[in-house]
Amino acid sequence: MTYNSRLKSEQTDAFFEAVLALENMEECYRFFEDICTIKEIQAISQRLEVAKQLRENKTYNEIEAETGASTATISRINRALNYGADGYNLVFKKLGLSKE
């Protein structure tokens, strides 16, 4: 089954191919440090942490205090967890963090 993403484009495919070609943490750091700003990497990392904490049933106030994420960001991530493309759950399963 093929997933049809709203992001789909040749450029996005090329970017994801580049990410999938990385083999270890050092390569990830080197690539993402060149391609993203520090703030962009921190924002993406924060979103993953927020998603983890939402899955742990932490409150918005607890998550905001622990991560520094705004309630708007927390709400957006909560919507993605419940109604999105299931990407967070896919990653959590692959990391052994699945609730199943």
Side-chain angles (χ1 to χ4, degrees), residues 18-86:
V19 171
L20 290 170
L22 300 171
E23 295 182 6
N24 56 48
M25 192 74 71
E26 181 184 341
E27 289 181 1
C28 284
Y29 270 97
R30 291 172 67 181
F31 177 68
F32 281 96
E33 193 168 321
D34 282 352
I35 202 164
C36 295
T37 67
I38 291 171
K39 289 287 188 195
E40 288 168 334
I41 295 168
Q42 289 170 338
I44 292 167
S45 301
Q46 180 189 64
R47 290 176 191 153
L48 184 61
E49 181 59 29
V50 167
K52 286 180 189 176
Q53 291 190 22
L54 283 167
R55 287 170 41 98
E56 294 168 358
N57 296 316
K58 292 192 176 180
T59 67
Y60 278 32
N61 288 339
E62 290 172 322
I63 296 168
E64 185 178 26
E66 290 181 32
T67 67
S70 69
T71 56
T73 296
I74 297 167
S75 178
R76 185 172 59 248
I77 294 164
N78 194 42
R79 273 193 312 277
L81 282 169
N82 292 307
Y83 307 109
D86 210 32

